[in-house]
């Protein structure tokens, strides 16, 4: 099992510079036309964690999503944005993080995700509830942010696909599988494997370190990475940041289950992680438990419903 990873320095979200970076990082993989053919419905899956802290750089930048969308359109595809944020709606979180100009200028729909039951090849999970919109898309382009994470050490490409688990099913997984970190990591890996994104492009121009996924600090990391293999890509970023794979439950599970290529079988078509090595990446001060008890699930559900059905509509009405 081999995989190719493209890793480059990238320092700006300015339109022309970002377009050049995207073209450079995708060129060795065959460019966008390798992944998108005319007529394809293409899910763009950014990290739309929260609408509450846009200054913390804890979501995928809209500038990057816009440039990827333009490349999809140029290849003849029909992009749409989808995610299932922890609190509120995908549209509400996207608008709070500056996505509205992108949606308007490119006429890109943003969809709320709805669940369906899908079989897996896993011996542990015979099925998973995943987004029908994601599973029925012709192409999935995964657009994660490089972030530290107080429960999982790091969140990269694999963890970003947990956003294709709809609604409060995510909270249920925290309650059901969170008591066993290995089982939770395997669930995230099987989710990524079942969704099988066609392409993952990592936004690491400005990353989020420390007590992420939302309470950490912006960090100018200055990188962009892309691969068809989300597991190999995550492993490459961890190597660049000098984070041991065993520290990250998703990567530990991917290695344990044999889904991630051996290090010697990953080909670096542009920069090698050693070329862009980071010596002072800040992980969380301490790790928090993954499991959610029933009271926390109820509080989380109430907050989600309050933001989505009361706060977001009131904000939209006030802006009219």
């Amino acid at each position: 099992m081999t995989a190719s990873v493209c890793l480059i320095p990238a320092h700006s979200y300015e339109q022309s510079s970002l377009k050049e970076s995207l073209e450079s990082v995708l060129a060795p993989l065959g460019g966008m036309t390798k992944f998108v053919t005319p007529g394809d419905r293409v899910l763009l899956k950014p990290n739309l964690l929260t609408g509450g802290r846009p200054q913390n750089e804890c979501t995928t930048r809209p500038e990057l999503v816009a440039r990827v969308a333009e490349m999809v359109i140029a290849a003849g595809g029909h992009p749409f944005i989808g995610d299932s944020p922890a609190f509120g709606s995908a549209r509400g979180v996207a608008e709070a993080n500056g996505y509205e100009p992108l949606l308007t200028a490119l006429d890109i729909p943003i969809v709320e995700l709805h669940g369906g039951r899908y079989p897996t090849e896993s011996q542990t999970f015979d099925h998973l509830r995943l987004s029908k919109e994601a599973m029925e898309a012709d192409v999935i382009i995964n657009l994660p942010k490089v972030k530290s994470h107080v429960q999982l050490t790091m969140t990269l490409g694999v963890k970003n696909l947990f956003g294709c688990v709809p609604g409060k099913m995510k909270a249920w997984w925290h309650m059901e599988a969170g008591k066993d970190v290995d089982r939770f990591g395997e669930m995230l890996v099987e989710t990524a494997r079942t969704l099988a994104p066609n392409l993952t492009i990592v936004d690491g121009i400005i990353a989020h370190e420390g007590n992420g996924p939302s309470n950490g600090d912006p960090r100018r990391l200055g990188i962009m990475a892309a691969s068809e293999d989300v597991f190999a890509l995550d492993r490459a970023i961890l190597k660049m940041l000098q984070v041991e794979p065993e520290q990250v439950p998703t990567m530990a599970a991917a290695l344990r289950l044999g889904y991630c290529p051996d290090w010697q079988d990953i080909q670096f078509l542009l920069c090698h992680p050693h070329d862009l090595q980071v010596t002072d990446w800040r992980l969380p001060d301490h790790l928090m438990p993954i499991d959610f008890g029933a009271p926390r699930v109820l509080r989380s559900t109430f907050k989600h419903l309050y933001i989505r059905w009361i706060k977001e509509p009131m904000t939209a009405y006030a802006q009219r």
Side-chain angles (χ1 to χ4, degrees), residues 15 67 70 118 145 190 205 210 247 261 267-268 283 309:
Q15 182 171 344
R67 302 292 81 77
E70 289 172 346
Y118 295 92
K145 187 91 167 180
E190 294 295 353
I205 297 174
Q247 290 181 263
Q267 298 178 322
F268 295 99
L283 293 174
W309 300 112

Side-chain angles (χ1 to χ4, degrees), residues 32-267:
M32 187 59 75
T33 55
K34 162 75 179 301
F35 304 97
V36 177
T37 57
D40 282 346
R41 295 185 67 255
V42 181
L43 169 62
L44 305 181
K45 171 56 184 77
N47 185 320
L48 294 179
L49 177 72
T50 176
R53 298 180 177 90
Q55 72 282 358
N56 280 20
E57 295 284 351
C58 54
T59 61
T60 308
R61 272 290 192 104
E63 296 95 327
L64 184 139
V65 179
R67 302 292 81 77
V68 172
E70 289 172 346
M71 296 174 80
V72 168
I73 293 169
H78 305 291
F80 65 98
I81 295 171
D83 199 2
S84 181
F87 301 114
S89 68
R91 174 167 288 279
V93 172
E95 290 179 351
N97 283 280
Y99 275 68
E100 183 59 34
L102 152 67
L103 301 176
T104 301
L106 298 178
D107 192 25
I108 297 177
I110 185 164
V111 302
E112 306 299 331
L113 304 184
H114 303 88
R117 180 185 172 109
Y118 295 92
T120 74
E121 299 178 6
S122 166
Q123 295 181 356
T124 305
F125 307 96
D126 63 352
H127 75 279
L128 293 167
R129 288 192 64 82
L130 301 171
S131 158
K132 293 190 293 184
E133 293 79 6
M135 293 296 289
E136 294 172 3
D138 298 305
V139 177
I140 297 176
I141 299 180
N142 186 24
L143 299 171
K145 187 91 167 180
V146 177
K147 298 197 295 182
S148 295
H149 196 289
V150 294
Q151 292 175 312
L152 295 163
T153 306
M154 292 290 301
T155 172
L156 296 164
V158 171
K159 175 60 170 63
N160 191 52
L161 293 166
F162 195 40
C164 290
V165 174
K168 300 314 293 177
M169 188 69 187
K170 291 193 291 298
W172 184 89
W173 271 120
H174 276 273
M175 186 169 62
E176 193 277 339
K179 293 178 176 61
D180 181 344
V181 67
D182 290 340
R183 177 173 165 79
F184 194 79
E186 288 182 12
M187 178 274 296
L188 293 172
V189 164
E190 294 295 353
T191 294
R193 188 165 177 248
T194 303
L195 287 162
N198 303 80
L199 175 65
T200 297
I201 303 172
V202 176
D203 176 9
I205 297 174
I206 298 180
H208 186 90
E209 66 177 359
N211 296 317
S214 62
N215 291 318
D217 302 299
R219 164 73 183 266
R220 285 199 168 271
L221 192 60
I223 66 102
M224 184 183 294
S227 180
E228 298 174 69
D229 189 319
V230 66
F231 302 112
L233 185 56
D234 279 9
R235 190 170 189 185
I237 298 296
L238 293 179
K239 175 67 77 171
M240 187 194 73
L241 298 177
Q242 301 189 68
V243 177
E244 293 298 325
E246 295 76 15
Q247 290 181 263
V248 183
T250 50
M251 184 49 56
L255 291 169
R256 186 168 61 249
L257 296 171
Y259 298 160
C260 184
D262 292 334
W263 183 250
Q264 64 269 21
D265 293 326
I266 301 176
Q267 298 178 322

